[in-house]
Amino acid sequence: PILVRSGAITLSNNTEYHVKAYRAVGNGLLSGARLVIKQSGTITKTATYIDFLPKIVSRGANTYTNQESINWPHDADLYDGITAAYFEASIRHSTGSYSAYAELWNSSDSSQIAEVSDASTTFVRKRSADIKASLADGKKYMVRIKNGGGNTGYSQQASLIIVQENF
């Protein structure tokens, strides 16, 4: 792996930032990426995004299935001061006549933790209610998608967002 680092960038207040990678030609492997923020003073709040999907995925059937999602193991010892957690996915449907769905799935216990859906034909970012109480230490989580009816549902991003304060 080769470490590639950008120069300094200017950030704005009340703005979310995400790290994304794109390769125009051929195959590539991104083994890790992060946005490093140097702050002065005391850090009182942060959000960690666990990204599940490596690329745009699609599903033509109306049953949930794993579409190249990572199977992320939750280790509560790594996340002090969790005040909230959310599932978020950017989804769309090919025709808009039906909805596309994405779920955060507890693969250890075979149970749904959160679900988002939308019938838009362009990608829409949808966020669940707070799911902090549903995350269990030592369990594994993945994202699954489905199509709510005819044609195809898509997701281009799906994340678990862990909010920490006063850690």
Side-chain angles (χ1 to χ4, degrees):
I2 299 171
L3 173 65
V4 178
R5 185 174 286 178
S6 74
I9 59 174
T10 302
L11 304 178
S12 300
N13 288 338
N14 301 314
T15 304
E16 289 186 16
Y17 294 91
H18 300 264
V19 176
K20 294 192 176 217
Y22 174 76
R23 182 172 172 103
V25 180
N27 295 323
L29 175 65
L30 177 65
S31 62
R34 67 182 61 210
L35 181 62
V36 177
I37 300 173
K38 293 182 180 180
Q39 291 182 269
S40 60
T42 303
I43 299 172
T44 59
K45 186 175 183 180
T46 188
T48 301
Y49 282 68
I50 292 94
D51 293 319
F52 287 90
L53 299 176
K55 62 181 183 178
I56 294 176
V57 296
S58 62
R59 178 76 172 148
N62 63 357
T63 56
Y64 276 113
T65 189
N66 175 16
Q67 297 288 76
E68 300 187 41
S69 170
I70 66 166
N71 198 15
W72 179 75
H74 178 48
D75 182 349
D77 293 335
L78 300 177
Y79 299 95
D80 291 337
I82 296 177
T83 57
Y86 304 95
F87 171 60
E88 183 177 276
S90 293
I91 53 178
R92 76 173 185 86
H93 191 269
S94 58
T95 67
S97 300
Y98 301 94
S99 289
Y101 293 82
E103 73 174 356
L104 182 64
W105 179 252
N106 177 334
S107 59
S108 299
D109 296 337
S110 298
S111 61
Q112 184 183 75
I113 302 303
E115 179 182 66
V116 295
S117 65
D118 200 88
S120 177
T121 57
T122 58
F123 282 107
V124 175
R125 187 170 63 171
K126 304 296 281 190
R127 183 179 278 193
S128 72
D130 185 359
I131 58 171
K132 174 188 166 197
S134 299
L135 294 179
D137 188 38
K139 303 296 182 178
K140 290 186 176 183
Y141 299 91
M142 66 173 38
V143 169
R144 305 188 320 168
I145 66 168
K146 75 174 182 178
N147 168 26
N151 299 88
T152 307
Y154 298 89
S155 181
Q156 71 175 2
Q157 170 272 332
S159 303
L160 173 63
I161 304 161
I162 298 176
V163 179
Q164 297 168 270
E165 291 187 40
N166 303 318
F167 51 96

